[in-house]
Amino acid sequence: MHSGSSRSLAWLACGLGFLLPLTVVAQAAQEVVVQSGRIAQRAFDAPASVAVIDGTAVRDAGPQINLSEALASVPGVVALNRNNYAQDVQISIRGFGARAAFGLRGIRLITDGIPATTPDGQGQASTVSLTSAERIEVLSGPLAQLYGNASGGVIQTFTREAGHTPQADVSSTFGSFGLQRHDIQLSGRTGAVGLVADYSHFQTDGHRANSAAERKQFNSVLTADLQPGTRLKLVANVFDMPVALDPLGLTASQWQSDPQQAGKNALAHQTRKSVQQSQLGAVLEHQFSPDLQGQWRVYTGTRQNLQYQAGSNAALPQQGSWVGLDRDFSGMGAQLRGKQRDLPVGRLDWTAGFDMDQSAEQRQGGLTLAGEKSGAFNRNELNKASNRDAYAQLNWHLMDALGHSPFTLTSGWRHSDVRLQSRDDYLTDGQDGSGQVRYQASSPVLGLTWHAQDTLNVYANWGRGFETPTLAEAAYAVTGTGNSRSIRGLFNPDLLAARSRHLEAGFKWTPAPGSKVDAALFQITTDNEIVASLSDSGKTAYVNASRTSRQGAELTWQHAWSGQWRTLLSATWLQAQYDAAFTSTSKVGSTYTAKTIPAGNRLPGLPDQQLFASLQWAQQGASSKSRQGPMGWSSSLDWVARSALWASDMNDAASRAPGYGVINFKLRHRSAWGAHHVDTWMGVDNLMDRRYAGSVIVNQASQQYFEPGLPRQWMLGLKWSTPL
């Protein structure tokens, strides 16, 4: 084992050592309700690994710019900040999603009940409005498979609801490297109608050359109680990123010599991205009776994405390329939730529903000269993805002779029908790259929870899931043989969907007042894992590997030592590896070389161990409301540690990112001036100024794997809240 891995394992052992001496004192579980699969229930009773990050924790985690800030404390989640706003953060859950070169893969993202992931499994975390978030839920394990294609895990975000008193919140954050974030949020309620509207503006000069970015974001939620038991929610959000310069990745030697430099040709080719996205959705809930509720949703949106990429043609050093995506997306769904209370065998909670989603995007591309478009298109096609899914879940609370429910049986099923198709509108090259493919899969789930005590639940789950290739992964195919081969813009219908089998066992325990322990063991095997076959000049073709496995353990411990002092510890151990050898191809100059990826190699982008430890202090004690921070002074000292990880399937020395640990410190003060509240805070991230790789670009063709983490950086923030 590498020394970085050994140190991380020692950290995990130390954390477990702190946990063992706790005494057992009965305490009722907190009444936090979450989406456990497709049924809402108390987080303590949920037969799955469900993490909840409330609004206060979201705000205390950082400047509320990247989703990775809030997810750092969630076990099983690897949230790597690229510090590259042209590519978004890199998030994986239990090893799913790590191969993504940009955006999200293998994870379902849902905002206020509206899918933010397209039917083929692509998503963008940057569109989540953290400044107005009330809570974030993360679901992993077998129950996540009830969300369909690419559900290695599910991240749901919820915008806060308006209070009864109209209020304005104005905040500003300033930090190192020209960081600025300004936000204004208005909320209020008139009769049965409530509104939250939030606008934020973010910009940074960037730590590295060619890494400046600007983002503008609007998020609003209107709720209307149309009649007793009937509620309508309208969700509207706009995301505008007029520019995000792309510094690209660095080779190991470049990273060690100067982590602030841009990658090869980034400056010469002016690599950058711009994005505009708007979305409108509606969710209607109706209570037919105390035991039957219906929910309907519909949404639509558009997204325009223009990216300028670096070229690698030594004979034409000023030549790069561009890709433009113009997407329309929409969907609808319905769900019934019910209860059967007086059955002889016990109480039943059930749900059944369907999801129908679709997206269509015009993909165009061409060449650039010194970072500007040059010449006509060399690619023009219409890509479509759609799904038609039905699902059901049943929680059966078995009764004993005394009327107690010592066991809960959970069962679920989802049938998915996913279609990918491409119409080639660029036929001047004499080759039609059109194609289509259809994937169908049924995902069953079965689990059992033993309610051993009021303070202890033990559960076990089994399930099956699947993950189709994304349109971006099916967009290229390898043609030719030997050194005459090339990657062409041809739809690849030969990619299979990856099929996975999930096993999970865990417990949830409240051993003492103010103390909570969640632990889980899991094993996942996947057939037909989707892997890179050949990368060249910014294009990657994919194939299926025969088999992979992911197994590991997760632990979360929260403890309140007093009214002022609290600790949080989360630890993850993960072994994600290829169980069978497969062949991929690399290109050096004009020569192609076949490489055998041996069985036992680790999946890239995933550390074997991860630890988050936090010591928190609040002068007047923690707040009981998620939208309120503690009054007076408060502070937190956080330690984030990860073991070494690989950036390529080969697990070679050039792709090894060393393990690291960074310390972050926050100091806050909240005061009241009559009805007004003023929050001030300062923070220092990477307090010890460690040099580390913040993330890696998996299987990058030129071995420009590394995206440097930020050095020591400071932040200052001010927020003023006042009734209107």
Side-chain angles (χ1 to χ4, degrees):
M1 181 182 292
H2 296 293
S3 59
S5 299
S6 301
R7 287 194 296 270
S8 295
L9 194 57
W11 297 333
L12 177 58
C14 291
L16 290 171
F18 280 119
L19 177 63
L20 294 177
L22 292 175
T23 57
V24 178
V25 179
Q27 179 196 28
Q30 294 179 346
E31 298 291 336
V32 178
V33 176
V34 298
Q35 293 296 319
S36 175
R38 289 289 186 165
I39 293 178
Q41 62 184 128
R42 291 195 316 163
F44 181 73
D45 293 329
S49 296
V50 185
V52 181
I53 309 159
D54 67 24
T56 298
V58 171
R59 287 183 287 278
D60 289 351
Q64 302 166 71
I65 297 169
N66 298 301
L67 193 58
S68 56
E69 301 165 18
L71 296 179
S73 62
V74 180
V77 176
V78 179
L80 303 179
N81 186 356
R82 299 181 186 274
N83 299 298
N84 179 352
Y85 294 94
Q87 303 298 346
D88 212 348
V89 296
Q90 185 181 54
I91 299 175
S92 62
I93 300 179
R94 291 188 176 177
F96 290 94
R99 74 173 184 272
F102 59 91
L104 300 181
R105 302 287 188 276
I107 297 171
R108 306 303 294 185
L109 180 62
I110 302 171
T111 60
D112 291 305
I114 304 297
T117 303
T118 52
D120 62 337
Q122 299 183 80
Q124 301 291 329
S126 59
T127 58
V128 174
S129 176
L130 294 173
T131 50
S132 55
E134 181 178 56
R135 74 182 190 280
I136 300 172
E137 295 180 9
V138 181
L139 171 67
S140 55
L143 283 181
Q145 310 314 306
L146 295 177
Y147 287 84
N149 177 29
S151 296
V154 180
I155 300 173
Q156 298 201 57
T157 66
F158 301 87
T159 300
R160 76 176 185 89
E161 289 197 12
H164 292 286
T165 302
Q167 180 173 308
D169 299 277
V170 181
S171 66
S172 289
T173 298
F174 301 89
S176 302
F177 317 116
L179 182 149
Q180 294 185 43
R181 183 191 60 76
H182 307 288
D183 179 81
I184 181 169
Q185 187 175 138
L186 302 175
S187 63
R189 181 173 295 276
T190 301
V193 178
L195 174 66
V196 173
D198 181 279
Y199 175 79
S200 63
H201 179 267
F202 160 74
Q203 66 183 48
T204 179
D205 295 335
H207 164 245
R208 299 175 58 197
N210 204 64
S211 63
E214 180 184 10
R215 295 194 323 207
K216 293 173 280 189
Q217 194 162 3
F218 173 78
N219 182 56
S220 68
V221 175
L222 183 146
T223 56
D225 296 315
L226 304 180
Q227 64 182 39
T230 303
R231 164 169 281 204
L232 175 66
K233 178 188 291 186
L234 298 177
V235 181
N237 52 67
V238 178
F239 177 84
D240 180 17
M241 186 169 68
V243 63
L245 303 184
D246 189 349
L248 305 179
L250 301 176
T251 64
S253 60
Q254 288 174 327
W255 172 47
Q256 292 297 333
S257 63
D258 179 11
Q260 289 188 269
Q261 66 181 301
K264 182 180 179 181
N265 287 330
L267 294 173
H269 297 167
Q270 301 178 41
T271 51
R272 62 197 187 275
K273 178 191 282 187
S274 62
V275 177
Q276 293 82 38
Q277 176 174 310
S278 60
Q279 181 172 296
L280 178 66
V283 179
L284 178 66
E285 296 181 345
H286 179 69
Q287 192 84 31
F288 294 101
S289 71
D291 293 336
L292 183 62
Q293 180 183 21
Q295 183 189 84
W296 299 263
R297 65 170 174 83
V298 61
Y299 69 95
T300 185
T302 62
R303 181 181 177 91
Q304 292 81 41
N305 188 110
L306 178 60
Q307 184 168 10
Y308 292 81
Q309 302 172 324
S312 59
N313 189 338
L316 297 169
Q318 288 189 301
Q319 187 181 86
S321 62
W322 65 271
V323 177
L325 306 174
D326 192 348
R327 177 188 300 166
D328 295 311
F329 55 92
S330 60
M332 61 182 297
Q335 183 176 14
L336 285 177
R337 297 172 179 166
K339 299 178 184 292
Q340 300 293 327
R341 300 177 185 270
D342 300 322
L343 299 176
V345 293
R347 177 171 57 88
L348 296 179
D349 297 325
W350 60 270
T351 187
F354 71 88
D355 293 324
M356 299 174 62
D357 309 281
Q358 61 183 8
S359 69
E361 66 182 22
Q362 195 75 32
R363 174 191 289 265
Q364 297 177 329
L367 299 177
T368 64
L369 186 65
E372 298 298 335
K373 293 182 181 179
S374 173
F377 298 148
N378 60 21
R379 187 165 192 179
N380 186 18
E381 63 193 41
L382 180 65
N383 300 149
K384 293 183 177 181
S386 63
N387 69 275
R388 304 290 184 269
D389 291 15
Y391 61 86
Q393 183 181 345
L394 175 70
N395 286 357
W396 180 9
H397 307 279
L398 302 171
M399 292 288 188
D400 60 18
L402 299 177
H404 300 144
S405 298
F407 296 98
T408 298
L409 178 66
T410 298
S411 60
W413 171 87
R414 184 178 182 113
H415 182 74
S416 299
D417 186 338
V418 179
R419 298 171 186 255
L420 307 181
Q421 54 185 313
S422 178
R423 187 191 69 202
D424 193 349
D425 295 330
Y426 179 80
L427 302 175
T428 58
D429 60 355
Q431 194 163 18
D432 187 351
S434 303
Q436 61 180 328
V437 64
R438 180 182 182 185
Y439 303 97
Q440 290 182 296
S442 292
S443 302
V445 173
L446 188 64
L448 182 68
T449 303
W450 174 36
H451 306 286
Q453 300 176 10
D454 290 341
T455 58
L456 177 63
N457 284 333
V458 182
Y459 64 90
N461 293 313
W462 167 88
R464 290 197 310 214
F466 80 112
E467 180 181 0
T468 71
T470 66
L471 283 169
E473 291 167 341
Y476 296 99
V478 178
T479 61
T481 59
N483 289 336
S484 64
R485 79 186 76 182
S486 63
I487 299 179
R488 300 292 302 276
L490 307 174
F491 185 80
N492 183 2
D494 297 327
L495 282 174
L496 304 175
R499 304 295 178 113
S500 55
R501 293 166 296 282
H502 302 247
L503 286 171
E504 177 186 47
F507 69 84
K508 301 181 180 184
W509 181 35
T510 55
S515 187
K516 184 174 181 290
V517 182
D518 290 356
L521 300 173
F522 62 89
Q523 183 178 52
I524 306 166
T525 57
T526 303
D527 294 325
N528 300 319
E529 186 84 45
I530 300 168
V531 299
S533 169
L534 173 62
S535 295
D536 183 23
S537 301
K539 299 176 289 186
T540 302
Y542 290 84
V543 295
N544 295 103
S546 59
R547 187 182 176 96
T548 62
S549 64
R550 299 166 172 89
Q551 55 187 342
E554 299 164 356
L555 170 72
T556 302
W557 171 50
Q558 305 174 59
H559 186 72
W561 301 95
S562 67
Q564 289 74 41
W565 291 93
R566 294 180 297 161
T567 53
L568 169 64
L569 172 74
S570 70
T572 305
W573 173 78
L574 172 66
Q575 180 177 302
Q577 66 181 33
Y578 294 108
D579 285 348
F582 67 96
T583 300
S584 67
T585 304
S586 64
K587 181 182 179 183
V588 179
S590 59
T591 302
Y592 291 87
T593 303
K595 303 181 298 183
T596 298
I597 311 301
N601 269 22
R602 293 289 199 263
L603 271 65
L606 298 169
D608 283 359
Q609 291 98 26
Q610 181 173 262
L611 180 71
F612 176 87
S614 179
L615 177 63
Q616 303 162 19
W617 171 79
Q619 182 183 19
Q620 299 184 25
S623 171
S624 61
K625 296 181 180 180
S626 64
R627 294 196 297 268
Q628 300 277 338
M631 299 298 292
W633 291 98
S634 62
S635 64
S636 62
L637 189 67
D638 301 337
W639 183 27
V640 182
R642 296 185 176 99
S643 62
L645 56 83
W646 306 101
S648 80
D649 291 327
M650 282 299 294
N651 291 184
D652 52 345
S655 71
R656 182 178 182 270
Y660 65 90
V662 296
I663 297 175
N664 304 323
F665 174 74
K666 304 289 191 307
L667 177 66
R668 295 168 289 270
H669 185 266
R670 181 176 175 85
S671 58
W673 300 77
H676 310 282
H677 289 85
V678 177
D679 295 83
T680 57
W681 69 279
M682 64 83 66
V684 181
D685 284 353
N686 193 4
L687 191 63
M688 308 307 293
D689 201 23
R690 291 288 305 274
R691 177 179 290 192
Y692 67 100
S695 68
V696 295
I697 304 173
V698 171
N699 291 318
Q700 208 280 336
S702 302
Q703 297 188 341
Q704 296 175 226
Y705 300 123
F706 302 99
E707 296 180 293
L710 293 181
R712 183 188 297 116
Q713 59 169 329
W714 61 269
M715 290 166 284
L716 294 174
L718 174 67
K719 179 179 178 182
W720 177 58
S721 303
T722 183
L724 297 176

